[in-house]
Structures are given as structure tokens and as C-alpha cells.
Amino acid sequence: MIEKRDFYINGQWVAPSQANDFHVIDPSTEESCTVISLGGQADTDAAVAAAKTALPGWMATPVEERIALVEKLIEIYPTRAEDLAQAMSMEMGAPIDMSRTQQVGAGIWHLKNFIRAAKSFQFERPLGDHAPNDRIIYEAVGVAALITPWNWPMNQITLKVGAAAIAGCTMVLKPSEQSPLNAMIFAEMMHEAGFPPGVFNLVNGDGVGVGSQLSGHPDVDMVSFTGSTRAGTAISKNAADTLKKVHLELGGKGANVIFADADDKAVKRGVLHMMNNTGQSCNAPSRMLVQRPIYDQAVETAAEVAGKVTVGPAMLEGRHIGPVVNELQWTKIQALIQKGIDEGARLVAGGPGRPEGFNKGYFVRPTVFADANNQMTIAREEIFGPVLTMIPFDTEEEAIEIANDTPYGLTNYVQTQDGARANRMARKLRSGMVEMNGQSRAAGSPFGGMKQSGNGREGGVWGLEDFLEVKAVSGWTPE
């Protein structure tokens, strides 16, 4: 058990307004690893009031000083890296080696990219040569509510906090109650970096409680939310009465389109990408579309690769996948695996139940379905576990039709050695991101989707712009 912590409001740790304990469960053991307090309305109001009070001074702080504080945070980050890694492994189940590299590494990566983007960003600029007395000013949206998920905690916290801080917004962070410990360590880092009181606040709570209180709060100017499409819809409705800005990064059902001329490692790469973080990534390539001439071999390869993916406790060092985050997710995944069997997909790896040797912990067998079609439940719904669905196709046009036939539009993937075809696919796939031939997006590339995968973009220049309002000024007097 880790010592219970409270809320960070107006530059100090404060006790909750009411006794409302929540046990955080270690998904590897199914045992409580810490107890946190869930906030009430009074806690939310106090955090928002602190942010509102701090807003005028923080907005007026020169952007160079705001950047310098984020740079100080970057200096502190490595000193707490192991604390962050241990916390995330224990509370959400990321294997410790993966937590140290990918989970922790994502945070400092985004902060550094924001610094690079901010130093070349013109927060005040001329409208154009045709209008010498017009200026465009980018200023902070205001008080921002940041609601983050459990699956990539530091990734999402830094994508929001880094951009909001540089933009001049003050903020209230509500991390997922499933993975709050890393966020409280991050609050300590923000305090050590010297951010003024009220600029950054943290209140623990669940979506129904603090989440709803923040999204409907009249003094919150913006909500930046990452999570499920269902929750994103609820937040949008709750925020509508106050007409606040809402940024949503939601679910996905990415297609990984593998043509017959794909490189030899394309199928293996796709399976391992799907299994990373135990399949708990919104941009996971969960539908593998394979051109028919290589389909049978691809199924064999996928089954073989998945069969070699090992499962183990999060605190065990080595290359393996850990548990899914909680019992609710485990039960949902098991139901969807059974649904795939019942609807006639061919199970070629994994299946229902825990992996062999496990009778405790929320562990899922790495699973691959073949011979699916795009109308099956496993091809329509976001499973959010280590479950891959394989679908054959014949032509480029058919691949595009299948890939786009989804309510989601976050990330699609293309594997082909034909450059012209790859570019055609990139233009026609309806998603906010397209990654081709195993090449990841570069530093500062925007992350976000379309359709039911959300709106807005995170990271780099686009991430900064999401926390800025555009002000048009005419009659500007040169200084």
C-alpha cells in the first residue's frame, strides 16, 4: 500500500472536503495498492476558483517565462522517472520495462516538442502586407479542465499540461481514478518547477463526479478530454449549456492495410503493435486488412507471432504484456472474444479466459481472429485489449471501403512498396493520422482524429493552438 495523498490546489496539498475513499487496484494482483479520495463539488469549486484567480497574472506573464518554467519541469522529469514508472506499472499494469521506456518517455518527449514549437510560434503577428494596421493575437482560452485516461497517463497529462501552460491557460487536472498516482507525482514536479499557485491544480475524482462538475462548470472555459467516445459525448452535452470549448481525443478502430507487395515484416510488425500496452491504445491497428494473395500466409504468421507473445505481471522485468487495467475491462474483452467466436470468425490464437498458469489478475490471452468481415462486432467495436481481427480484401478500392466503413477515424496504417499507391491511400483514408510502412510520426506531428474519434489535435504547434483563442485587432499602433 502507498500512503494516501490528497488534492493539489492553489500551490499546496489540501485535504478533501468529504470522506469518499476509492481503492486503486493493482491489476496484476487484484489487490488494493492505494486509497485516494474522490473529490466533491466543493473541491472542484476550490480548484476552479484558484485557477480563475491565477489566470490574469499567468496570461500576462511573458511567454518566454512560461517556456522557461516548462524547461525547468523537463530538468526535473528525469529525477522522478523511476517513481513514475513504478506508479504506472502498479496502478494500470504496464510492464515495468515498457513503463520506463514508453510510458515515462512519452511525457518528456512531448514537453520537449512543445518547447521547440513554442520558440518559433508567433503569438502576435501581422495580418499581412495588405493590412499594415491589423494584428492577430493568440491568447489563452482561459481556465482549462484537463481530463486524462489511465492507458497512457504521462503521455496524455503532458500533452495537455505542457500546451496549456505555454499558451497561458490555468488548469485543473482530473486524472483517471484508475491511475492517479503518477499524476500526483507529476503535481509534485510542477510544484518543484515553481509554477505560480493556482496555475496548475489537481483534483482526483471519477467521471460522474468531478468530471461532470468540471465539464459543466461556468468558470471553466475549455475542456480537454481523452477517453471513450461514450464519455466524450456526455462531456459535450454537459458543456453545451456554457458554450465552452471542448477538445476530444476519443476511441479508434484503426485499419492496417497490408498489400501483397508489403515488406516481409509487415504482418509481424502489425501484430506486435496491436499487442503493445496490452492492446490498450486508441490508435491500435486492431483491424488487419490483408490482400488475398498473401492472406493465408499472413494468418499463419499472425497466429505464430501472437502465440509467442508472453504474458506476465507488470512488475516483472522483461518483454511481455501485462494485465488489462481492471475487472470491468477484462469482462468486456472476454465477452467480445466470445462474440467473435459466436459470429463465426476463425480463432487462430488465444481465446477466452486467462492465459495458462494464471488464476488471478486481469490477464488476457493474446488473441487473433481470421476470416472476419467488417460487419462483425469484433470489427465494429473498440475492444481495447490484445485482440486482432483479420479481414481479407481483393482490390485497393475494396480496402479503402472497408477501412473507412467505421464510425471512428483516428489512425490507419498502410503497408505497400508502391509509393504512388501509398500516397493515394493516405489521401483517401478518413482518419486524422495515416502511418505507412512502419514509419512513426515525427516530433511535433499532430495527434487526433475525425468522426467519432474526436476533434482538435494534440502535440506540437497544433497542440498549442488548441489552448489559444485568436483575436483580430484593427487600428494597431506600431510601438
Side-chain angles (χ1 to χ4, degrees), residues 113-318:
N113 290 338
F114 281 131
I115 294 296
R116 182 187 299 111
K119 287 185 174 180
S120 61
F121 189 88
Q122 290 183 283
F123 287 85
E124 293 187 12
R125 65 185 70 170
L127 175 62
D129 293 340
H130 68 289
N133 296 323
D134 281 48
R135 288 292 184 275
I136 302 298
I137 298 175
Y138 289 84
E139 69 178 32
V141 171
V143 175
L146 314 178
I147 303 176
T148 57
W150 48 261
N151 61 322
W152 286 94
M154 270 301 104
N155 183 77
Q156 292 307 131
I157 288 173
T158 54
L159 275 172
K160 299 181 192 302
V161 172
I166 291 172
C169 293
T170 55
M171 62 206 92
V172 180
L173 171 66
K174 188 210 84 66
S176 169
E177 69 275 21
Q178 306 292 334
S179 60
L181 297 175
N182 67 91
M184 289 188 274
I185 294 168
F186 185 82
E188 294 174 352
M189 294 158 58
M190 293 288 286
H191 184 85
E192 185 179 348
F195 283 85
V199 170
F200 173 85
N201 306 273
L202 181 150
V203 179
N204 284 309
D206 56 19
V208 174
V210 174
S212 294
Q213 293 158 15
L214 285 170
S215 61
H217 203 291
D219 290 333
V220 169
D221 301 295
M222 172 184 178
V223 179
S224 179
F225 169 78
T226 301
S228 70
T229 299
R230 175 197 54 77
T233 300
I235 284 172
S236 297
K237 291 178 179 178
N238 195 39
D241 288 342
T242 50
L243 292 175
K244 57 172 56 70
K245 187 175 183 179
V246 178
H247 166 112
L248 303 172
E249 200 278 283
L250 308 175
K253 194 68 181 177
N256 185 8
V257 183
I258 301 180
F259 287 94
D261 67 342
D263 66 271
D264 293 341
K265 296 181 179 178
V267 173
K268 179 180 181 180
R269 186 168 61 239
V271 175
L272 294 179
H273 189 174
M274 180 64 237
M275 302 300 166
N276 188 47
N277 204 38
T278 319
Q280 298 171 122
S281 301
C282 52
N283 62 339
S286 53
R287 291 181 297 154
M288 182 178 283
L289 279 52
V290 184
Q291 199 163 25
R292 208 171 294 274
I294 63 166
Y295 177 75
D296 290 342
Q297 180 58 54
V299 171
E300 289 185 21
T301 300
E304 180 182 357
V305 172
K308 292 180 180 178
V309 174
T310 57
V311 179
M315 288 301 181
L316 179 69
E317 294 189 349

Side-chain angles (χ1 to χ4, degrees), residues 64 81 110 227 253 256 289 312 314 375 402:
E64 293 79 12
H110 292 310
K253 194 68 181 177
N256 185 8
L289 279 52
Q375 279 61 56
I402 295 171

